[in-house]
Structures are given as C-alpha cells and as structure tokens.
C-alpha cells in the first residue's frame, strides 16, 4: 500500500503531465471544474481546480463530495496510473477507479485521458 507522500507525488506528476499538454488542445477540452481525488484505503482526499491553464496545487480536502468531479481509488492504483502502469480506462472498467461527474464532464475527461 502506498502512503500519503507517494500519493501526493503521484498527483504532482499528474499535474506536471497535464501542464505538458498543448495549450490549444487543453483549452478545447477543459472547462473549469473542482476535482477531488479520494484515496479510499488511506482515508484521505485531495482537491484541485482544473482550468485552461492546467491544475492548481492539490490540497487536502475534508469534503470531497462537494467537488464537481469526484475520483475514488486505492493508493496503489493512483500511483500506478500516475506512472503509466495502469490505464485509467481499464481501471475504471475493472471498478478500480470510480468517477462521479456529469455526462458532459465524463466526455471531456475521456478526451484528455
């Protein structure tokens, strides 16, 4: 099981990778949203804001249900996805990644993955 430090590093890696996406492509698919990432096996959640400039820094979140897009996974799966060892679509299909969002947000998210 990964620890909180591993999860924070994984989230920072995700933010860095998103910063590498072409600005025009990002602007085409991104609408400003709050995103929570709940790490179920550690009992912690992180929140960020997605916008055309990328992601704001991740902060601990005491109310992940308030976010517009909510992700839930175990710590090892978060780390594996951040390092391209686990495909997010396959993780979702296998029930290892849960996503709660509007249908429009899901379609936009799919294009970025």
């Amino acid at each position: 099981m990964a620890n909180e430090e591993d999860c924070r590093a994984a989230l920072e890696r995700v933010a860095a990778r998103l910063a590498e996406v072409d600005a025009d492509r990002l602007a085409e698919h991104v609408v400003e949203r709050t995103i929570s990432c709940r790490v179920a096996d550690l009992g912690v959640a992180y929140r960020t804001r997605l916008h055309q400039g990328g992601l704001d820094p991740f902060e601990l979140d005491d109310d992940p249900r308030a976010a517009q897009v909510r992700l839930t996974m175990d710590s090892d799966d978060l780390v594996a996805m951040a390092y391209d060892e686990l495909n997010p679509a396959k993780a979702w299909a296998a029930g290892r990644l849960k996503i709660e969002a509007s249908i429009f947000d899901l379609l936009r998210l799919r294009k970025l993955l």
Side-chain angles (χ1 to χ4, degrees):
M1 180 167 77
N3 60 34
E4 285 186 47
E5 185 176 311
D6 297 331
C7 291
R8 184 167 290 279
L11 291 170
E12 289 173 9
R13 180 172 171 84
V14 169
R17 286 177 42 197
L18 190 60
E20 295 172 0
V21 173
D22 177 68
D24 291 335
R25 180 171 179 237
L26 194 62
E28 182 181 331
H29 298 292
V30 170
V31 174
E32 186 172 320
R33 293 287 183 260
T34 54
I35 299 174
S36 71
C37 179
R38 189 170 71 85
V39 185
D41 59 336
L42 296 180
V44 298
Y46 299 93
R47 179 184 293 245
T48 189
R49 183 177 63 93
L50 175 67
H51 49 85
Q52 291 185 352
L55 289 173
D56 287 346
F58 284 89
E59 302 290 335
L60 285 173
D61 186 7
D62 57 349
D63 186 16
R65 302 287 310 160
Q68 294 164 307
V69 177
R70 296 169 301 281
L71 309 172
T72 303
M73 68 203 77
D74 284 338
S75 58
D76 288 338
D77 291 335
L78 171 59
V79 172
M81 279 188 275
Y83 289 92
D84 293 326
E85 297 166 3
L86 178 62
N87 179 292
K90 289 181 181 179
W92 174 79
R96 295 168 66 181
L97 169 63
K98 294 181 180 121
I99 303 172
E100 297 174 76
S102 74
I103 187 68
F104 299 111
D105 288 336
L106 288 172
L107 292 172
R108 283 188 197 102
L109 184 61
R110 181 182 61 95
K111 290 178 183 179
L112 286 174
L113 296 176

